[in-house]
């Protein structure tokens, strides 16, 4: 008597399992297709210049051209992204929240078009890689803004956006691009001044005694590395953090706070929101008048 019922239950169970298998297969296929499409957008940058063509040259003109054509558009995007997300947190209008997300996606696409040109840094692999990472970052920011649904609570919408997997990856690619650019400045500095190393050593705890002996370009690379590892995606630049640390040291504030190393100083400054854009310019003449640095606008403006 129970045979038909048992057979029906078994068929139902097998059908349900088959449905789950198909659903999972479709999901992972979709993820792979999406990833392949994203990578394809940058393929021309990877294939048009072979590794053998890189000579490792870092001229000031290369850095200046990169700054204006690639880094500045991304820097503007990063500033706007952080500002828009901060405003989103305080919004309670679902339509405004949806409009903000749409604007962020449009902005990412707009800046992508500015940055997405044939690679012109054929002799500078770090600049080439930085451009590639910026393109990846903008693509993922656009996708994140498009996929997140806006609710009445801007705070919840912003939380969802910031915790999204695409957003996290976008920020990491942006921070990696930033480090690529600062590494290239260090290589330029090494060609200009034999007291400047061509590359930074392994990231380690830096005492203030060690820090004070380091040239500005090496300090900036160390901070860019810390920002990457700590995922500090902010509107200010590594040299702003450098200047803030130097002022902590030379003003005696670090000593009064019993700080002894750069990492603990960075933790304090970031957690208290003490670093601001243009902090480097504020202390440039006081601390960096004799430093070797490329003639880039954000060191001069």
């Amino acid at each position: 008597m129970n045979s038909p019922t048992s057979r029906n239950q078994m068929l139902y169970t097998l059908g349900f399992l088959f449905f789950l298998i198909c659903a999972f297969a479709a999901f992972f296929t979709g993820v792979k297709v999406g990833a392949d499409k994203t990578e394809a957008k940058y393929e021309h940058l990877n294939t048009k210049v072979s590794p053998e063509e890189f000579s490792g040259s870092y001229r000031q003109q290369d850095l200046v051209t990169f700054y204006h054509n690639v880094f500045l558009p991304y820097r503007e995007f990063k500033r706007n992204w952080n500002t828009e997300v901060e405003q989103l947190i305080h919004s309670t209008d679902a339509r405004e929240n949806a409009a903000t997300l749409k604007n962020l996606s449009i902005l990412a696409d707009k800046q992508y078009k500015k940055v997405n040109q044939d690679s012109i840094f054929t002799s500078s692999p770090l600049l080439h890689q930085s451009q590639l990472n910026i393109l990846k970052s903008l693509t993922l920011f656009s996708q994140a803004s498009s996929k997140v649904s806006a609710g009445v609570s801007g705070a919840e919408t912003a939380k969802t956006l910031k915790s999204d997997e695409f957003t996290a990856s976008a920020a990491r690619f942006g921070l990696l691009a930033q480090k690529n650019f600062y590494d290239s400045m260090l290589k330029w500095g090494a060609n200009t001044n034999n007291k400047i190393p061509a590359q930074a050593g392994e990231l380690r705890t830096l005492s203030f005694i060690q820090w004070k002996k380091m040239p500005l370009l090496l300090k900036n690379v160390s901070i860019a590395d810390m920002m990457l590892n700590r995922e500090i995606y902010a509107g200010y630049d590594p040299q702003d953090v450098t200047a803030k640390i130097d002022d902590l040291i030379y003003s005696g504030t670090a000593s009064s706070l019993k700080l002894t190393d750069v990492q603990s100083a960075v933790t304090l400054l970031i957690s208290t929101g003490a670093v601001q854009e243009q902090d480097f310019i504020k202390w440039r003449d006081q601390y960096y008048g004799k430093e070797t640095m490329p003639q880039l606008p954000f060191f001069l403006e």
Side-chain angles (χ1 to χ4, degrees):
M1 290 180 62
N2 293 330
S3 294
T5 302
S6 299
R7 188 163 50 253
N8 288 340
Q9 287 177 339
M10 182 180 69
L11 290 173
Y12 176 80
T13 301
L14 289 173
F16 181 70
L17 289 173
F18 179 75
F19 171 78
L20 284 179
I21 292 170
C22 290
F24 277 114
F27 172 77
F28 287 111
T29 300
V31 170
K32 186 175 188 309
V33 169
D36 289 344
K37 285 183 178 179
T38 298
E39 287 299 322
K41 296 183 76 171
Y42 327 115
E43 191 61 30
H44 70 286
L45 287 176
N46 277 330
T47 57
K48 284 197 175 183
V49 182
S50 66
E52 290 77 13
E53 290 177 296
F54 285 136
S55 67
S57 170
Y58 292 91
R59 301 170 302 169
Q60 178 158 267
Q61 185 56 47
D62 293 330
L63 298 176
V64 172
T65 301
F66 181 87
Y67 177 89
H68 286 290
N69 291 1
V70 179
F71 194 76
L72 183 58
Y74 186 72
R75 194 169 176 239
E76 291 171 349
F77 168 81
K78 182 171 64 170
R79 183 184 294 117
N80 288 327
W81 172 273
N82 286 318
T83 300
E84 292 281 351
V85 172
E86 185 62 31
Q87 291 175 352
L88 182 62
I89 292 173
H90 304 290
S91 172
T92 56
D93 187 312
R95 287 198 300 178
E96 285 186 6
N97 298 342
T100 296
L101 291 175
K102 184 176 180 180
N103 288 339
L104 286 173
S105 182
I106 291 172
L107 178 62
D109 292 339
K110 178 183 175 182
Q111 299 307 85
Y112 181 98
K113 289 178 182 178
K114 289 184 179 180
V115 175
N116 186 29
Q117 52 188 311
D118 289 344
S119 179
I120 55 178
F121 310 103
T122 55
S123 62
S124 307
L126 286 168
L127 296 180
H128 177 81
Q129 192 61 44
S130 183
Q131 182 183 18
L132 182 62
N133 285 327
I134 283 174
L135 290 172
K136 291 179 179 180
S137 178
L138 289 169
T139 298
L140 290 168
F141 270 125
S142 176
Q143 292 176 347
S145 303
S146 299
K147 68 181 283 204
V148 171
S149 299
V152 174
S153 170
E156 284 300 316
T157 302
K159 182 179 178 181
T160 301
L161 178 61
K162 289 196 287 187
S163 62
D164 185 82
E165 188 178 322
F166 281 15
T167 302
S169 294
R172 282 194 294 273
F173 278 122
L175 291 168
L176 182 56
Q178 177 175 263
K179 185 176 184 303
N180 294 148
F181 188 30
Y182 281 79
D183 281 337
S184 70
M185 291 183 223
L186 187 63
K187 287 191 177 295
W188 168 85
N191 291 331
T192 306
N193 184 337
N194 59 17
K195 294 182 179 179
I196 298 176
Q199 60 186 24
E202 185 178 347
L203 185 64
R204 64 190 188 284
T205 300
L206 289 170
S207 70
F208 288 148
I209 293 174
Q210 294 170 302
W211 174 263
K212 288 192 285 187
K213 295 177 182 178
M214 293 165 61
L216 172 64
L217 295 179
L218 182 56
K219 289 179 179 179
N220 290 344
V221 166
S222 299
I223 296 299
D225 201 3
M226 290 180 205
M227 291 178 73
L228 171 61
N229 282 283
R230 299 188 185 199
E231 299 184 355
I232 302 171
Y233 192 78
Y236 48 78
D237 299 307
Q239 65 266 20
D240 295 318
V241 183
T242 293
K244 198 71 177 180
I245 292 171
D246 281 331
D247 189 62
L248 273 180
I249 296 170
Y250 293 116
S251 67
T253 304
S255 179
S256 65
L257 293 174
K258 300 187 181 331
L259 298 173
T260 59
D261 62 81
V262 173
Q263 278 80 355
S264 60
V266 169
T267 299
L268 175 66
L269 292 171
I270 302 305
S271 64
T272 57
V275 184
Q276 303 294 322
E277 293 181 54
Q278 301 290 305
D279 273 345
F280 175 79
I281 299 301
K282 181 178 178 180
W283 285 296
R284 181 191 58 199
D285 294 337
Q286 185 173 350
Y287 298 134
Y288 310 111
K290 296 182 180 180
E291 289 280 356
T292 298
M293 66 185 86
Q295 300 297 298
L296 298 175
F298 63 2
F299 289 140
L300 306 171
E301 61 195 14

